[in-house]
Amino acid sequence: MKTTKKLKKLSLQYQYLLVDLEDVKEELTLYQQQFNEYLISLDKTFNLQIFSNNTKKEKKVKKSCENDVKIDKKCDSKQDQLFRDLYNQIAVQTHPDKTGDDEERSSLFRKATRAKNDNDLMTMINMCGTLDIEVPNLSQEQIEIIEKNIKQLQSKINSYKNADAYVWGVADEKKREMIERAIINRYKK
């Protein structure tokens, strides 16, 4: 019973973080565009040459935003068996050969296949809940892997939120003035 409650909490936390990650990525994309336009205007206004010194860093920030979360793929034979069992139960209910033209079920099948290939246990477990498939008791090691994946997801969200463009994007006017002064002081000739 205790494991079931813990798993439910982990599942809700994981789902929340996935939604939060998508929101933060969307916001960062918008803030990055606005921040770049802002830097260009500062560069022109104060003749700072921001971009001649910083083009590698900007490319790195943009590229890091494009990377998705890496799920811990540590797997043992017991977990491999759990994945196979869960996947097979999900496939029975969602495989296009069994469901015909049911696009929703076909979509679930593709999602299950991705989760199996990525060893994304939490997604598989959440799909079981959606399809009323009973999830077997998880070992402490499997729960620890899920917890580690949640920490990695939170870390990725935090790294996006700490990007210069995101910090600038969520800043109030006073904070933006401080950022502007710091940029001008850093790049003035």
Side-chain angles (χ1 to χ4, degrees):
M1 185 70 159
K2 194 174 187 180
T3 304
T4 304
K5 285 183 179 181
K6 181 155 182 93
L7 185 60
K8 187 172 184 174
K9 287 180 182 180
L10 290 172
S11 174
L12 291 171
Q13 186 178 9
Y14 188 78
Q15 290 175 34
Y16 171 81
L17 289 173
L18 287 175
V19 171
D20 195 29
L21 177 66
E22 290 307 311
D23 288 347
V24 169
K25 284 169 64 174
E26 188 176 301
E27 290 170 342
L28 180 56
T29 300
L30 175 65
Y31 295 153
Q32 186 68 53
Q33 179 183 355
Q34 293 171 349
F35 188 61
N36 286 344
E37 291 169 3
Y38 169 73
L39 289 176
I40 290 168
S41 72
L42 274 183
D43 192 45
K44 288 178 181 176
T45 303
F46 296 98
N47 196 22
L48 299 175
Q49 297 181 342
I50 294 172
F51 296 102
S52 63
N53 298 329
N54 209 15
T55 51
K56 289 180 184 176
K57 185 178 178 185
E58 287 176 27
K59 289 178 183 177
K60 184 179 175 185
V61 169
K62 281 186 177 182
K63 189 172 185 175
S64 71
C65 185
E66 296 167 0
N67 296 334
D68 272 339
V69 176
K70 301 290 188 237
I71 299 297
D72 186 358
K73 294 189 178 187
K74 179 181 175 186
C75 224
D76 59 17
S77 61
K78 186 177 178 181
Q79 188 163 327
D80 283 341
Q81 186 61 46
L82 175 63
F83 271 95
R84 280 193 297 275
D85 291 346
L86 293 177
Y87 180 77
N88 288 339
Q89 291 178 54
I90 292 169
V92 165
Q93 293 187 31
T94 62
H95 195 283
D97 290 346
K98 305 252 185 218
T99 61
D101 291 337
D102 187 342
E103 186 54 41
E104 184 178 335
R105 292 283 174 147
S106 294
S107 176
L108 287 173
F109 178 75
R110 290 188 298 274
K111 184 176 179 180
T113 301
R114 278 192 306 277
K116 178 181 162 241
N117 292 338
D118 291 343
N119 289 334
D120 184 353
L121 183 56
M122 198 73 256
T123 295
M124 294 285 273
I125 290 169
N126 288 338
M127 291 183 71
C128 288
T130 301
L131 297 167
D132 293 326
I133 297 171
E134 187 175 333
V135 178
N137 288 331
L138 301 179
S139 69
Q140 185 59 35
E141 183 181 0
Q142 291 164 330
I143 289 175
E144 287 170 4
I145 289 171
I146 291 171
E147 289 171 335
K148 183 176 180 183
N149 290 340
I150 287 172
K151 286 179 184 174
Q152 290 171 334
L153 193 54
Q154 184 64 58
S155 177
K156 181 56 95 174
I157 291 168
N158 289 340
S159 73
Y160 288 162
K161 286 183 174 182
N162 288 324
D164 292 342
Y166 195 92
V167 171
W168 179 84
V170 297
D172 61 16
E173 194 60 38
K174 189 173 183 177
K175 178 79 171 172
R176 283 188 179 188
E177 288 172 8
M178 289 173 50
I179 292 170
E180 181 175 308
R181 282 192 302 273
I183 292 170
I184 291 170
N185 289 335
R186 181 174 180 192
Y187 291 102
K188 70 179 169 184
K189 296 176 183 179

